[in-house]
Amino acid sequence: MADVAVIGLGGLGSATAYWLARRDVSVVGFEQFELGHVRGASHDHSRIIRRSYHTPEYVRLTAGAYDAWQAVEADCGEHIITVTGGVDLFPPGAAIDHGTYTASLAAERVPFEWIDGAEIRSRWPAFAKGSLVTPDVMGLYSAETGIVPAGPGTATLQRLAVAHGAELREHSPVREIRAAGGEVDVITDDGATRVGHVVITADAWTNRLLAPMGRSIPMVVTREQVSYFPHADLQRFAVGRFPVWIWMDDPSFYGFPLYGDMSGLKGSEDCGGSEVDPDTRTFDPDPGMEDRLRSFMEQLVGPGFGAPRTATCLYTLTSDRDFLLDTLPGIPNVSVALGAAHGFKFAAWFGRTLAGLACGEPAGPDLAPFSFDRPGLHAPIDRSAWMV
Ligand SMILES: Cc1cc2nc3c(=O)[nH]c(=O)nc-3n(C[C@H](O)[C@H](O)[C@H](O)COP(=O)(O)OP(=O)(O)OC[C@H]3O[C@@H](n4cnc5c(N)ncnc54)[C@H](O)[C@@H]3O)c2cc1C
């Protein structure tokens, strides 16, 4: 009998299986689709990892995010984090308050620079080709910002989990979780698997598993997309010449230097997608979102983009857009985690923390903001709370 079952093998679940196996805990992971599928939230080439966040608690947590990925790098001897430098761009009157970011970084003594538009254009000439970064646009520059590989990073965690002894079952949808005395039965089409603890890392599908246990979380699942735009001079956007960038306004857009798919420059809109059902949603690009993004990127770095390649992906948004990481109230041997559409940078940290919870370690004060019972999690959905 396995000690722990992990349900859902995206970034968070694969990291949990990895850290449990690394601790010599016998772990079985269940994935409803094939490993590496593109129906959830952890596929495609890249995700931003950064220290700049809007609260000191998150800034402090980002140290753990880097540390946990570096521990995985040390374990497998492979490079995972690519440090590129990143600039959060604040136009005058920005919808997102720069003060919460600069104050949080300062409170945690994390170095950053506060630079104006002229400095941004001189450091990264690509911005000088556009019209958006005017002298009164301010930039919060963090040298530690970088990229973690979503799909390849998840595959690495799965490979290492198996190498450390985990059993990962793909095409194994979990139909239900049932308490069985002090243990838990995980029900699939192949029958019941009894374990001591269950970790739910099912993101957009989480409420499907919680409902039979009389629990649910207010959440909104949206279909987001990222686009890769060909350009005559892509080298202008190479790592070292172009940073990770985030436009801190409403709408909010973000992008990367050339990485992963070297045929196009990647950009996306945060929370630009429509609400969907994860099982019936489509995979076709939304042309309106593509046009909005192209128009923005041409203002940002000038014209010259060809027709994009677009991939879709799911956001799972909690009311306050804070994580969920806790055991279920009244059911201590079931824990659940949600990355609230900004969790991949923390995937290795989530995994290490969830492995600790599954082994009976106390949650600790750092996790209090992510508890199941916090009022913000059960508040009515308010999209303005997502503008962070
Ligand atoms: C476009 C986009 C851009 C993003 N950018 C960033 C970024 O720059 N930085 C960042 O930190 N984060 C970012 N995120 C968020 C981040 O990618 C997610 O928070 C993270 O990937 C969530 O991982 P997960 O493992 O919880 O979810 P998923 O990868 O969706 O995994 C959940 C898994 O559970 C499986 N599952 C569900 N129900 C069952 C069941 N009953 N039985 C078995 N298996 C089941 C699903 O099939 C799925 O594989 C972005 C997300 C998107 C969509």
Side-chain angles (χ1 to χ4, degrees), residues 7-14 30-33 37 39-43 46-50 53 148 150 172-175 201-206 208-209 224-226 254 256 266 268 313-315 337-346:
I7 304 178
L9 296 172
L12 272 58
S14 302
F30 296 90
E31 171 48 51
Q32 61 183 340
F33 304 124
H37 68 87
R39 297 179 183 84
S42 300
H43 56 277
S46 50
R47 298 285 187 269
I48 298 172
I49 184 167
R50 54 187 159 98
Y53 257 86
V148 276
S172 297
V174 171
R175 304 297 180 194
T201 45
D203 212 39
W205 292 266
T206 300
R208 299 226 196 324
L209 289 163
E224 303 294 333
Q225 60 188 44
V226 301
Y254 61 93
F256 300 77
K266 179 179 177 179
S268 183
C313 179
L314 296 179
Y315 266 15
L338 282 176
H342 60 112
F344 197 86
K345 66 179 77 60
F346 292 98

Side-chain angles (χ1 to χ4, degrees), residues 170-194:
E170 51 187 349
H171 302 299
S172 297
V174 171
R175 304 297 180 194
E176 195 181 343
I177 301 165
R178 275 188 216 136
E183 295 165 322
V184 194
D185 281 340
V186 176
I187 313 298
T188 66
D189 300 339
D190 302 327
T193 302
R194 182 159 293 184

Side-chain angles (χ1 to χ4, degrees), residues 202-217:
D203 212 39
W205 292 266
T206 300
N207 275 335
R208 299 226 196 324
L209 289 163
L210 294 182
M213 292 185 279
R215 303 285 194 291
S216 77
I217 304 161

Side-chain angles (χ1 to χ4, degrees), residues 139-153:
L140 190 167
Y141 176 67
S142 171
E144 292 178 76
T145 296
I147 300 173
V148 276

Side-chain angles (χ1 to χ4, degrees), residues 46 61 73 89 103 109 118 136 157 175 195 198-199 224 226 238 286 297 299 319 355 363-364:
S46 50
L61 226 51
E73 289 182 326
L89 299 163
R109 301 181 190 287
D136 54 359
L157 290 165
R175 304 297 180 194
V195 294
V198 167
V199 180
E224 303 294 333
V226 301
D286 174 331
M297 288 182 70
Q299 291 174 65
S319 302

